[in-house]
Amino acid sequence: MEANSLRLFKKGFSDGIPIGIGYVPLMVALGVMAVKIGLGFGISQLMYCLLYSGTGMAAVLNLVSSGEMMVFTYLLTFCIVNCRYVLLSISMSQKLDPKMSTFSRMIFAFFNTDEIFAVAMQQKGFLQTPYLFGISLFPFLASVVGMFLGLVFTNFLPASVSSAFGILLYAMLLALIVPPMRGSRAVSSVILLAAGISTLLECNPFIRRFLSSGWIMIACSVFTALLGAVFFPVDSSNKKEIVNEQ
Amino acid sequence: MDNNALVLAVFLMGGTQYLLKMIPLVFLKKKVENKFLSSFLFYIPYAVLTSMTIPEIFNSTSHVISASVGALIAVILGLMNQGLIVVSLSATVAVFIVEKIMNIF
């Protein structure tokens, strides 16, 4: 049992490494931004550790630099953007080891991110506690260190390099959603539909006038997943071909 | 805004975000038996991650052309079942090279 936990922890830790590497340039950029708008070193790191969210931190920095005083407006926008976590967590709850303790679940919930979720959901079988703690460790440390680098060396990354790194996390998400498309009509349909609808809505100035991209993301995800459930219901008999385990 | 108000705001934001992540994980311990609902939950990760990535990926670098090349590389390597590191770093390097070439012209 002990040896098995250690093995799972190590597997999780190595799965977390690419995610952590992806966070570094993003966090360097946020650190540089924090220095530019005159936030202190300690308070920037403290805020980041409380939030542990790149998009959240970017939102806070925008709030500070714009001198926005209405904390409530900001909270509301922030909630809308983060509504996706409810969907992701509900989906993930089905994949956790039923024996995982409430305490471990509460700890893991803090360290869960979009990317960790995406990688963990690709694993076969139930997710065990040691694996989840293992995968959580490196991304958190890497992003704190990344922000530190940005705060200390504001010219750490030349513009051409940080522009290129901008695509890294998105490319990683593509690396997670593209392979399951092979050989599964159901998954490809859902992904292509989501991509199409999301693009149509995001690029439509009329819709953008009253729907923020957070809302568009939620609406588009719920709609396509519903269509998937209607047209390609998953049960134990056809699970193998839809999941397309290789 | 002074530092105290800022930390308070961050506490509230972090707290709500944490609750959004934590409540489903802690309180949904039963398996969803309903076929429609479990199918919906099966497709949710693909739907959410796709809506997050597209079209945002095309604005993720300093130019839409370099971003498109990077995205194309990522899709091709993904279809070839390459791992996370290979896909994400290849896309990043591709963007870097394309932007260098674009700077020459």
Side-chain angles (χ1 to χ4, degrees), chain A residues 18 43 47 51 53 64 68 75 78 82 86 89-91 93-94 96 102 105-106 109-110 112 114 118-119 160 163-168 170-175 177-179 182 186 190-191 195 198-199 202 217 220-222 224-226 228-230 232-235 242-243 246, chain B residues 1 3 6-7 9-14 16-18 20-22 24-26 28-32 35-36 39-57 60-62 67 70-71 74-75 78-79 81 84-85 87-89 91-92 95-96 99-100:
Chain A
I43 195 160
M47 289 194 321
L51 276 177
S53 151
V64 178
E68 168 73 63
L75 261 179
F78 186 73
N82 284 325
V86 178
S89 281
I90 292 175
S91 182
S93 71
Q94 300 296 304
L96 294 183
T102 301
R105 284 166 191 250
M106 289 176 82
F110 176 79
N112 196 9
D114 299 313
V119 173
S160 61
S163 164
F165 272 125
I167 203 168
L168 200 139
Y170 289 110
M172 185 182 291
L173 292 179
L174 281 182
I177 54 182
V178 169
R182 292 185 55 176
V190 167
I191 288 176
S198 172
T199 309
E202 291 265 6
M217 196 172 73
C220 172
S221 320
V222 171
T224 43
L226 279 176
V230 170
F232 308 102
V234 187
D235 59 27
I242 289 189
V243 179
Q246 283 153 357
Chain B
M1 193 188 284
N3 276 353
L6 193 60
V7 171
V10 172
F11 253 110
L12 289 171
M13 289 161 91
T16 41
Q17 175 182 273
Y18 177 68
L20 295 178
K21 288 179 177 177
M22 185 272 282
L25 287 189
V26 169
L28 265 176
K29 285 189 180 169
K30 269 208 204 106
K31 280 255 140 225
V32 173
K35 187 175 164 186
F36 182 77
S39 305
F40 173 73
L41 292 176
F42 170 78
Y43 291 114
I44 270 291
Y46 300 108
V48 173
L49 297 173
T50 307
S51 327
M52 276 176 67
T53 312
I54 296 169
E56 281 81 355
I57 190 170
S60 64
T61 69
S62 58
V75 170
L79 285 173
N81 275 333
L84 281 192
I85 294 228
V87 175
S88 45
L89 287 181
T92 309
V95 169
F96 185 77
E99 289 186 354
K100 284 284 174 217

Side-chain angles (χ1 to χ4, degrees), chain A residues 76-103:
Chain A
L76 199 66
T77 333
F78 186 73
C79 280
I80 294 163
V81 173
N82 284 325
C83 256
R84 70 173 185 282
Y85 284 129
V86 178
L87 293 174
L88 297 181
S89 281
I90 292 175
S91 182
M92 196 170 205
S93 71
Q94 300 296 304
K95 182 97 176 137
L96 294 183
D97 177 13
K99 291 193 290 285
M100 188 175 177
S101 71
T102 301
F103 184 66

Side-chain angles (χ1 to χ4, degrees), chain A residues 83-158:
Chain A
C83 256
R84 70 173 185 282
Y85 284 129
V86 178
L87 293 174
L88 297 181
S89 281
I90 292 175
S91 182
M92 196 170 205
S93 71
Q94 300 296 304
K95 182 97 176 137
L96 294 183
D97 177 13
K99 291 193 290 285
M100 188 175 177
S101 71
T102 301
F103 184 66
S104 307
R105 284 166 191 250
M106 289 176 82
I107 294 181
F108 171 69
F110 176 79
F111 292 97
N112 196 9
T113 65
D114 299 313
E115 291 77 16
I116 288 176
F117 166 83
V119 173
M121 292 303 278
Q122 308 281 324
Q123 304 302 310
K124 285 181 188 144
F126 281 126
L127 294 165
Q128 312 287 329
T129 315
Y131 176 83
L132 291 172
F133 285 179
I135 197 174
S136 303
L137 193 60
F138 190 72
F140 185 77
L141 295 178
S143 55
V144 172
V145 170
M147 187 158 178
F148 174 85
L149 292 174
L151 288 166
V152 177
F153 310 103
T154 39
N155 295 317
F156 190 68
L157 287 178

